[in-house]
Amino acid sequence: MEASGGLSGHHITEMLVSDEWQYFLVICGWHHSVLCRRGVSVEISPMVLLNSNIFRLGSLHLTYLGHTLVTCLEKGHYSGRGNAQEWIERVKSEGAVPLLDPENCPNGWASPPGDSFKVRGPKYFSTKVKIPGGDYLLKPLGFDWIKSSTKLSDILKNPRNRVRRALEDEFPTDDKPFVWAFNLQVPSKENYSAVAYFVATEPIPEGSLMEQFLRGDDGYRNSRFKLIANIVKGPWIVKKAVGEQAICLIGRALTCKYSVAENFIEADIDIGSSMVASAIVHLAFGYLTTLTVDLAFLIEGQAESELPERILGAVRFSELSITSARPLELPSDGSAGSLHSSLPTRLWKSIGHGFSQLINPVGRENGIVSGSSHVNGGGQEERVDDVK
C-alpha cells in the first residue's frame, strides 16, 4: 500500500475511469485517501475501513486478521463500509410506520418506482417531451409520521431524532454520509409532520445541481426545489382537487426553511403557508386512511445543460392512520406554526368546503394543478411552466 501523493479526490476519480490505471482508491471518510495495487489482498485497519468507500478497477479484497471484510464486485462501483447497506436497511425499518412492499403497504411506506414520475427530458425546452424519472440520485433512508404540541422543524438538529442518533452511533467520527430530509409540516389541530429521509452513498459531484443546491442561498433553492405528487389511490374528490400528478416549484408555492450542515440538509415545508394547499390537505386528511400518495423531490433543470432532470428521491405512503403518528417533542421554529391547530373547527370546515373556489379550474391541463399560488406568505401568479 502506498500513499496517494497528494492527488485530489477529483483527479483520482478521473483517473479511475480509465482501464489503464493500475491502482485502487480507498477514500477514508471524504478527505483522506490511500492507493493499493491491482489484484492483491490488502491488510487494512478496521478503523480505516469504518469510514471507507472503495472504488474498484479489478479484483480487490480487504481483509483483517484473515477475515474478508469487503469484496468489490463490479468495476466502477463501490461497496463502501462492509455493513453500509445493513445500516441503511436497519434505519429504514425502525420508524413507527413500517416499510412494506410498494404494491401492498397499508398504513406503511415504500419506495415507488422512479418511472412512475415524468420529468423533463433532454430536449424539453424545444419539444416539451417528458420522460420516465428513472433511478433516484439518493437512497431511501426512512420515513417518519410524527406529531407534536408545536410545529416540528430542524428535526435533524435534535439529538433525539432517530436518524441522527443512528448516524452518530454508526459513524462516531465526523465522516458521516450525507443525509437529505424533507419535512412536510401538515396543518391540522395537532402538528403532524411526514418526514422522508434519503442518503447519498457517493460524494456529490462537483458542479452538479445537487452541489449548487447545497451551496446556494435560500432564494436559489426556492427557485429550484420541485415536488411531484401522484395520488395513486383515493376517492374521486381528492384526485379532482390534487390532480393525478401535481407538479410545482414548492419553494415558490410554500414557505420552505432550509437547514444545511456538514452532513445533512433539511427542508421544512410549511403546507399551512398557502391557503390553497391548506384547504386541499385538510380535505385529503379526512380521507387519509384511504389514500396512497407518491411524492418525488427534485431540483428543477432550467437550462438544457441541466437536463434530463433526475429525481433526488421519492416516497410512497399508504392508508396512514392518525393514531400511528409517533408523539415527538422537538424544538419548534418559534413561529406561529401552531396557529392552524388553534383555528376553530368550523373555520377549517369552511375552508374544506370552499376548496373548489380556491383552485382555478381553468388552470388545469392533463390533471396538473396550475393557476395562482402563495409564495412565502404572499400571493404571486405562478408561471405556467412551474407546473410542467
Side-chain angles (χ1 to χ4, degrees):
M1 184 178 294
E2 59 184 285
S4 63
L7 290 173
S8 72
H10 177 63
H11 289 153
I12 292 175
T13 301
E14 288 180 347
M15 297 174 76
L16 281 171
V17 301
S18 169
D19 284 334
E20 297 177 0
W21 186 240
Q22 299 294 313
Y23 292 88
F24 303 93
L25 173 66
V26 179
I27 301 178
C28 305
W30 301 107
H31 307 294
H32 308 290
S33 60
V34 292
L35 296 179
C36 43
R37 297 187 69 86
R38 177 195 293 266
V40 297
S41 183
V42 179
E43 290 288 340
I44 188 168
S45 161
M47 289 307 295
V48 172
L49 180 65
L50 184 66
N51 296 295
S52 296
N53 295 325
I54 298 91
F55 290 80
R56 174 187 184 274
L57 284 179
S59 174
L60 172 68
H61 299 276
L62 298 181
T63 62
Y64 177 67
L65 297 180
H67 298 284
T68 298
L69 299 177
V70 174
T71 301
C72 296
L73 299 176
E74 297 182 25
K75 175 181 172 181
H77 292 73
Y78 71 89
S79 63
R81 297 164 39 83
N83 61 347
Q85 189 60 38
E86 178 185 338
W87 168 77
I88 291 174
E89 293 302 320
R90 187 172 71 251
V91 175
K92 286 165 65 174
S93 65
E94 286 178 344
V97 178
L99 172 65
L100 301 173
D101 184 272
E103 299 304 318
N104 184 27
C105 53
N107 198 23
W109 74 279
S111 294
D115 286 348
S116 62
F117 303 96
K118 297 296 184 182
V119 300
R120 293 178 173 184
K123 300 295 183 182
Y124 175 81
F125 295 113
S126 58
T127 66
K128 300 301 179 185
V129 171
K130 292 192 170 186
I131 62 174
D135 294 337
Y136 304 132
L137 292 170
L138 306 171
K139 300 291 186 184
L141 184 60
F143 176 79
D144 279 339
W145 176 230
I146 51 182
K147 65 179 180 179
S148 176
S149 58
T150 58
K151 184 166 62 177
L152 292 163
S153 61
D154 293 329
I155 289 175
L156 284 176
K157 288 185 177 180
N158 190 279
R160 287 177 288 176
N161 173 261
R162 70 178 187 90
V163 173
R164 173 166 174 166
R165 287 202 314 267
L167 276 171
E168 293 179 346
D169 291 345
E170 193 72 15
F171 303 91
T173 71
D174 292 334
D175 297 312
K176 298 175 175 61
F178 199 89
V179 172
W180 298 61
F182 302 106
N183 171 23
L184 293 163
Q185 299 166 327
V186 181
S188 63
K189 290 183 179 181
E190 296 189 68
N191 294 278
Y192 292 92
S193 274
V195 190
Y197 304 94
F198 304 91
V199 62
T201 56
E202 300 180 27
I204 294 171
E206 183 178 351
S208 66
L209 278 180
M210 294 171 71
E211 186 194 48
Q212 294 177 47
F213 190 85
L214 294 174
R215 294 182 179 274
D217 59 18
D218 286 356
Y220 177 85
R221 296 184 186 113
N222 285 334
S223 71
R224 297 290 190 130
F225 186 27
K226 194 170 184 178
L227 173 73
I228 304 176
N230 290 342
I231 303 299
V232 179
K233 184 178 70 173
W236 173 88
I237 190 171
V238 177
K239 288 187 174 182
K240 188 68 175 177
V242 177
E244 290 185 6
Q245 185 170 97
I247 308 172
C248 72
L249 281 176
I250 197 168
R252 290 186 174 180
L254 303 172
T255 297
C256 295
K257 175 185 175 184
Y258 304 94
S259 299
V260 183
E262 185 178 357
N263 67 300
F264 72 81
I265 180 171
E266 176 181 331
D268 297 321
I269 305 160
D270 184 4
I271 298 175
S273 61
S274 163
M275 184 177 293
V276 174
S278 294
I280 293 175
V281 169
H282 178 68
L283 171 72
F285 214 66
Y287 297 94
L288 188 63
T289 57
T290 68
L291 288 176
T292 299
V293 179
D294 286 353
L295 299 177
F297 306 93
L298 61 158
I299 303 169
E300 184 176 71
Q302 297 179 356
E304 191 163 309
S305 61
E306 299 170 345
L307 300 178
E309 288 180 328
R310 295 287 307 278
I311 297 173
L312 294 170
V315 64
R316 169 175 295 177
F317 54 85
S318 180
E319 302 174 15
L320 287 182
S321 168
I322 293 177
T323 59
S324 66
R326 176 178 290 174
L328 192 63
E329 293 301 326
L330 297 177
S332 72
D333 60 6
S335 69
S338 59
L339 174 63
H340 297 287
S341 63
S342 63
L343 288 174
T345 302
R346 55 190 171 83
L347 177 57
W348 273 117
K349 288 182 178 179
S350 175
I351 293 175
H353 292 157
F355 80 94
S356 59
Q357 280 72 47
L358 296 174
I359 303 171
N360 179 8
V362 179
R364 291 180 177 273
E365 183 177 353
N366 298 325
I368 297 176
V369 178
S370 62
S372 62
S373 66
H374 287 256
V375 182
N376 293 326
Q380 176 177 316
E381 188 69 15
E382 182 176 292
R383 59 185 175 87
V384 175
D385 195 46
D386 283 349
V387 292
K388 292 186 178 180

